[in-house]
Amino acid sequence: MPEATPLTGVLGAEVTVGDVRTLDDHDLAELRRLVCEHLVVIIRGQSLSPHEQVELSHRFGPPGDTPFIEPGPDHPEVIMVLKEAADGNAFNFGGAWHSDFSFQAAPPAFTLLYAVDVPPWGGDTVWSSMVAAHDALDPGTLAALHPVTAVHTARDAYAPKMQALHSGLSSMSIVCDDSANDQQLHPLVTTHPETGRDVLFFNRGYVRDLQGLDPDQVPTTLAWLHNHTTDVRFTCRHRWQPGDLAIWDNRSTQHNALNDYAGFRRQLHRTTVAGTVPVSRHRPLVT
Ligand code: SIN
């Protein structure tokens, strides 16, 4: 039976499971429950080939789509998150606050990230709990946010104007295109489909506009939401070791891969598990 030790008083837990490749269905269901409860779990000392990681991901659900990032030929569901030592200070993949692919109609439910090669220091990942960010707000503020719709788009991440930013990674092929200008509307406050908890489903990377507010209020509200949801009191931070597997609930967290390891190599393998269309119990379905 998986055992969890919380990493902070807010989110994150280190979970001991033995070998994730041999979990029976009961323990897998318990692991999924722990991810939904703690939002991020770290499982140390694993040995996962890309194929085995795909198999594990499939036990959580079908794969998510991975636009803009060219997969390797052998494992199309695996993103090789890779920055070479020689890439220096190039912008790193995931190096800004975001929830994975929240610009999709049904963003991923879970992300699995497995560490292969990590710098001797730096390259930590930081997550923030959007459940805690939600729960810290007073009832009046929440009532004002319930009708607000967040406009998610990858335009400032993967539109052609961003190609130069990504081309500094010599071993990742990130191909920007005009589909990044598409928009998806999600409620700003969502209801988690497995836990029923309310979530402030915001990330500055992909939420570029808000509907349902006076337009004059939008820039300041975006800035306030970013500052609030990434406040240090809602975060946990992980220092990677090879063999670490992180699994996070993408529906209730955002994260940021810190880019403070110029001159060192960092390689992690990422898979995502398809999610559902975000909904809110406070309002009708947004389409
Ligand atoms: C990501 O955003 O998926 C990558 C996170 C990381 O490399 O730490």
Side-chain angles (χ1 to χ4, degrees):
M1 175 71 85
E3 284 182 26
T5 305
L7 295 172
T8 72
V10 179
L11 84 162
E14 187 167 326
V15 170
T16 308
V17 297
D19 186 340
V20 282
R21 296 173 300 187
T22 60
L23 289 177
D24 63 24
D25 288 347
H26 178 267
D27 284 355
L28 199 282
E30 175 61 6
L31 178 58
R32 182 186 186 109
R33 193 194 65 74
L34 288 171
V35 177
C36 290
E37 178 183 343
H38 295 282
L39 312 188
V40 185
V41 305
I42 307 292
I43 308 168
R44 294 192 182 273
Q46 300 302 305
S47 174
L48 278 180
S49 68
H51 177 69
E52 289 167 334
Q53 182 171 344
V54 167
E55 284 187 334
L56 178 64
S57 292
H58 288 183
R59 296 189 70 193
F60 283 83
D65 288 338
T66 55
F68 310 118
I69 298 112
E70 297 272 296
D74 298 332
H75 304 287
E77 292 176 28
V78 180
I79 293 178
M80 303 284 173
V81 178
L82 179 52
K83 186 171 172 225
E84 302 286 2
D87 293 343
N89 279 314
F91 181 75
N92 62 324
F93 180 72
W97 282 104
H98 67 287
S99 297
D100 291 330
F101 299 152
S102 72
F103 52 83
Q104 295 179 325
F110 300 105
T111 300
L112 290 79
L113 191 64
Y114 174 70
V116 176
D117 188 15
V118 297
W121 51 79
D124 298 358
T125 305
V126 187
W127 290 267
S128 79
S129 166
M130 294 190 284
V131 175
H134 170 277
D135 292 351
L137 297 176
D138 63 79
T141 302
L142 288 173
L145 295 182
H146 287 156
V148 175
T149 295
V151 180
H152 294 243
T153 171
R155 72 168 182 239
D156 294 318
Y158 296 117
K161 66 182 179 182
M162 305 306 293
Q163 186 62 61
L165 183 76
H166 299 296
S167 296
L169 294 178
S170 57
S171 295
M172 284 187 80
S173 179
I174 297 175
V175 181
C176 296
D177 69 56
D178 283 324
S179 70
N181 294 313
D182 294 350
Q183 296 183 347
Q184 287 292 338
L185 305 183
H186 299 310
L188 180 60
V189 177
T190 56
T191 304
H192 193 283
E194 297 190 55
T195 65
R197 289 187 289 192
D198 283 340
V199 176
L200 194 49
F201 190 58
F202 177 84
N203 69 88
R204 192 68 184 94
Y206 299 133
V207 177
R208 308 306 293 176
D209 199 359
L210 300 168
Q211 295 180 352
L213 289 176
D214 181 334
D216 291 347
Q217 294 180 311
V218 169
T220 49
T221 306
L222 286 172
W224 170 76
L225 283 166
H226 174 63
N227 289 336
H228 175 70
T229 59
T230 58
D231 189 288
V232 69
R233 74 197 139 125
F234 305 132
T235 65
C236 74
R237 174 171 177 158
H238 181 58
R239 165 69 52 90
W240 294 95
Q241 294 175 3
D244 287 353
L245 172 67
I247 308 175
W248 66 85
D249 187 333
N250 192 56
R251 301 161 292 191
S252 50
T253 55
Q254 49 182 308
H255 58 283
N256 189 344
L258 301 183
N259 194 15
D260 56 353
Y261 55 96
F264 295 109
R265 189 173 191 276
R266 182 179 186 272
Q267 179 179 0
L268 298 97
H269 295 170
R270 185 181 112 167
T271 47
T272 50
V273 177
T276 51
V277 174
V279 295
S280 167
R281 67 191 171 95
H282 300 285
R283 53 190 289 194
L285 189 65
V286 175
T287 53

